[in-house]
Amino acid sequence: MPPHVPHSKPRSASPRTSGIIDTDLPARLDRLPWGRFHRLIVVALGITWLLDGLEVTLAGAVASALRTSPALHLGNTQIGLTGSAYIAGAVLGALGFGWLTDRLGRRKLFFVTLTLYLAATAATALSWSFASFIAFRFLTGAGIGGEYAAINSTIQEFTPARVRGWTDLAINGTFWVGAGLGAAGSLVLLAPGALPPDWGWRACFLVGAALALVILPMRAWVPESPRWLVLRGEQARAHTIVGDIEARLRGAGHVWDEAPAARLRLRARRHTPLREVFDALFRRHRRRALVGLSLMSAQAFCYNAIFFTYALVLTDFYGVPGARVGWYLLPFALGNFLGPLLLGRLFDVLGRRTMITLTYALSGVLLALSGYLFARHWLTLTTQTIAWMVIFFFASAAASSAYLTVSESFPLEIRALAIAVFYAFGTALGGIAGPAVFGHLIATHQRSDVFTGYLVGAALMVAAALIEARWGLDAERRPLEEVAAPLSRVADDD
């Protein structure tokens, strides 16, 4: 049931004098016990990663069907280009919607982006040519890219500090639940004789639209971020939201220390000029920017290059029929899902820097090793699948930690746009070219050429690990406002 937000007088409403806001809301949110409200937030908003996983898996699983489609007849290079179009859309969508998220609010934008995704993926199912297919994939990516900025910032601002790392990684790991659903759906819908020749792949994309249609009304009860509201001077509304969350937790039997919480003084502002945004990102916090960019770029190339062309490797080098690709995607998705789920708590216990360095380095080394074995014809179809499961057990946790790092490292006023900028820059550098390049390498039918692509991905992952080890941020169990002080923060003696 949607939570009821009472219209009662807010508890201990913070004063506002000459644009100065004195609030304890961030500290009150951070000290809350984990409860039903947080679980509902995860379900209603975390669906973003599931949808992305579904989309990416379908793009790979239907590759063979797209090549034999009477309407499309796509080649390997064209299939790689459609993957690049999806990523390009995600890049531009993240930037545009990320900017709007910081200006207009988290809540408005996560409705807009999910609606765009729903419409575009449904339109993909109705594509009649390569041009229409690639255009709709671009728009689908734009919806998903915008979701990343709006959703990541919202979840971060509601999650208690002590479990922020594990929660973020577990939510990102649901990408692979979507991947599993996509793989399972493709096995049914692409099975010979299940549907007319040109309708199996169309039905696969309609699955994503149907899922988004179910989730859209669930978001109606998710409140605006109190942190964002306080910055805009809307203290009464923010206090009402936090007070309602606290009342619900008390009603469920939760107990926590309700002593006076640490206070924060901010200067109210309606928006942050882009000049100040980029000054904060690339001058004031330039070391954090380097870390975020390296982590995002490395994981984007590694994942997008390999996963968008996963089905092509199976069909072209191991002779797997297109209709059976899903059977090999399922164990791959399982390894990716278990990585963040099982390793996530260590990011809060052992620390961000230790775990990010370890997962990135292991992913790179194992990718290079498996690529060598692949090039030497020493891997069978079974051992190739096992190798990918092991590699991406670590790589999935690493990729999830990149989003966690970027969303923690920058101030409240620019959090959504910071996520968007680094997602966009990292994905543009590592992701747009990746699928197209790997599609070309696979089209040569030379294992040594594909191995070269694997080596590039491995080198990027190891380089990112070294940068994290040197300049990474120790953000575990710390309030967001302590990790990155708000740009509008007012000193106590001001």
Side-chain angles (χ1 to χ4, degrees):
M1 291 292 292
H4 171 66
V5 179
H7 296 285
S8 58
K9 182 179 179 180
R11 191 192 73 176
S12 303
S14 299
R16 180 184 179 192
T17 305
S18 301
I20 302 298
I21 300 166
D22 184 5
T23 181
D24 63 353
L25 290 185
R28 284 166 59 189
L29 286 168
D30 277 326
R31 73 185 182 185
L32 291 177
W34 183 267
R36 183 172 179 269
F37 171 80
H38 299 101
R39 291 191 294 272
L40 291 173
I41 286 282
V42 166
V43 172
L45 301 184
I47 193 69
T48 295
W49 288 266
L50 189 149
L51 292 174
D52 194 17
L54 180 70
E55 285 297 318
V56 173
T57 305
L58 290 177
V62 304
S64 180
L66 293 175
R67 286 188 293 192
T68 59
S69 166
L72 300 184
H73 286 300
L74 304 187
N76 284 349
T77 300
Q78 287 178 311
I79 290 173
L81 287 173
T82 63
S84 295
Y86 176 84
I87 298 302
V91 167
L92 295 178
L95 288 173
F97 290 124
W99 178 72
L100 290 173
T101 297
D102 280 329
R103 290 181 69 95
L104 304 180
R106 282 64 166 125
R107 193 173 189 274
K108 290 178 182 176
L109 268 296
F110 60 59
F111 276 107
V112 171
T113 53
L114 185 60
T115 301
L116 174 60
Y117 164 81
L118 193 163
T121 196
T124 301
L126 304 177
S127 299
W128 58 90
S129 65
F130 171 62
S132 63
F133 186 83
I134 201 170
F136 292 139
R137 292 302 291 162
F138 175 87
L139 292 175
T140 302
I144 289 293
E147 282 271 286
Y148 274 123
I151 300 306
N152 265 299
S153 54
T154 305
I155 291 175
Q156 287 281 329
E157 290 167 9
F158 274 114
T159 304
R162 66 188 177 282
V163 294
R164 195 170 58 239
W166 175 78
T167 302
D168 201 81
L169 263 71
I171 292 171
N172 276 272
T174 61
F175 176 99
W176 298 102
V177 175
L181 289 175
S186 70
L187 289 172
V188 176
L189 298 174
L190 297 178
L195 290 171
D198 206 36
W199 275 98
W201 64 267
R202 296 181 188 274
C204 286
F205 287 110
L206 287 175
V207 169
L211 186 58
L213 190 62
V214 171
I215 292 297
L216 192 61
M218 290 180 60
R219 292 190 172 177
W221 63 262
V222 179
E224 181 57 86
S225 166
R227 284 176 155 106
W228 184 87
L229 288 172
V230 165
L231 183 63
R232 266 72 189 167
E234 299 183 41
Q235 307 98 295
R237 186 178 164 198
H239 274 272
T240 299
I241 292 171
V242 175
D244 181 61
I245 297 170
E246 292 173 332
R248 288 178 168 274
L249 290 171
R250 288 191 206 96
H254 292 284
V255 177
W256 65 94
D257 181 7
E258 296 195 58
R263 306 192 71 84
L264 178 69
R265 301 179 73 225
L266 302 172
R267 190 178 302 279
R269 56 166 66 184
R270 303 306 300 177
H271 70 279
T272 301
L274 286 176
R275 181 182 67 257
E276 188 176 358
V277 171
F278 286 97
D279 179 74
L281 289 176
F282 300 113
R283 188 189 65 79
R284 188 182 308 184
H285 296 301
R286 58 182 177 275
R287 186 171 292 175
R288 297 182 184 191
L290 172 63
V291 172
L293 184 60
S294 63
L295 295 181
M296 293 295 283
S297 300
Q299 66 84 24
F301 183 90
C302 188
Y303 263 101
N304 293 312
I306 294 171
F307 195 55
F308 269 106
T309 55
Y310 185 97
L312 298 180
V313 171
L314 294 177
T315 55
D316 287 21
F317 291 100
Y318 291 103
V320 176
R324 295 185 58 82
V325 165
W327 288 112
Y328 299 94
L329 289 172
L330 284 172
F332 181 81
L334 179 62
N336 276 276
F337 174 65
L338 291 177
L341 190 65
L342 299 180
L343 298 176
R345 292 196 183 277
L346 297 178
F347 285 77
D348 288 318
V349 176
L350 298 182
R352 306 286 199 262
R353 191 183 310 201
T354 298
M355 288 304 300
I356 294 173
T357 300
L358 180 64
T359 52
Y360 267 82
L362 278 174
S363 301
V365 171
L366 292 174
L367 179 60
L369 177 60
S370 72
Y372 176 76
L373 297 177
F374 169 79
R376 301 287 294 179
H377 296 259
W378 290 347
L379 292 177
T380 64
L381 181 57
T382 299
T383 55
Q384 176 72 78
T385 302
I386 293 172
W388 273 334
M389 284 182 66
V390 174
I391 293 166
F392 286 92
F393 175 85
F394 296 104
S396 181
S400 298
S401 70
Y403 292 95
L404 171 66
T405 299
V406 169
S407 58
E408 288 180 323
S409 298
F410 298 96
L412 168 66
E413 296 87 345
I414 61 171
R415 180 165 291 120
L417 185 55
I419 295 168
V421 166
F422 288 96
Y423 172 80
F425 273 64
T427 304
L429 290 174
I432 293 179
V437 169
F438 263 74
H440 174 72
L441 293 176
I442 292 168
T444 67
H445 300 288
Q446 298 297 317
R447 290 182 178 234
S448 58
D449 290 344
V450 179
F451 175 43
T452 301
Y454 289 151
L455 284 179
V456 173
L460 289 172
M461 293 296 280
V462 172
L466 295 175
I467 291 172
E468 171 66 27
R470 178 68 179 84
W471 290 304
L473 190 64
D474 298 315
E476 58 275 7
R477 300 182 301 278
R478 296 169 59 194
L480 290 171
E481 289 74 20
E482 181 183 315
V483 177
L487 299 176
S488 55
R489 186 170 186 172
V490 179
D492 291 339
D493 59 352
D494 190 333

